[in-house]
Amino acid sequence: MPDATATFGVRRHGPASVVDIRGDVTSGSEAVLMSAYDQAGDAKAIVLNFSELSYMNSGGIGLLVTLLVRANRHSQQLLAYGLSDHYRQIFELTRLDEAVGIHDSERSALSAAGAS
């Protein structure tokens, strides 16, 4: 299994958990991403903070799809902010933007999650 090159910190804001993503998200990030999801617990919304993302490849996109499926199974909303223009385009091309609420700021994402 490839080594993880990303770290994921989790912060709770009322009914939402913010997952701060740092580094490179690849298929090797699966264990740490799923651990962060578990730490998010019973949050009604998971907010992904991409502002410190260095790189994400197709394996990383695949992990986001897996995360989306898990969140949907638990009736959790998945939101994101801090995406560069490049990664916003990728979300559009892969149609992830139709399933993940994309926001310009943490405040906006938390407001959409009912945690403002």
Side-chain angles (χ1 to χ4, degrees), residues 22-101:
R22 290 178 192 87
D24 299 346
V25 178
T26 66
S27 59
S29 305
E30 182 174 12
V32 290
L33 176 60
M34 295 312 154
S35 175
Y37 175 75
D38 291 342
Q39 289 175 43
D42 62 349
K44 297 287 184 199
I46 308 296
V47 178
L48 302 174
N49 172 8
F50 286 99
S51 60
E52 297 294 321
L53 176 71
S54 299
Y55 170 78
M56 182 168 42
N57 64 12
S58 60
I61 295 291
L63 288 180
L64 293 181
V65 171
T66 299
L67 184 67
L68 178 62
V69 169
R70 287 188 183 192
N72 285 339
R73 283 188 189 146
H74 293 101
S75 301
Q76 293 171 307
Q77 188 178 17
L78 195 59
L79 305 163
Y81 76 95
L83 286 164
S84 68
D85 290 341
H86 173 74
Y87 288 112
R88 276 183 183 248
Q89 282 184 317
I90 289 173
F91 269 56
E92 290 169 10
L93 288 170
T94 59
R95 301 178 78 174
L96 271 173
D97 65 324
E98 295 176 13
V100 177

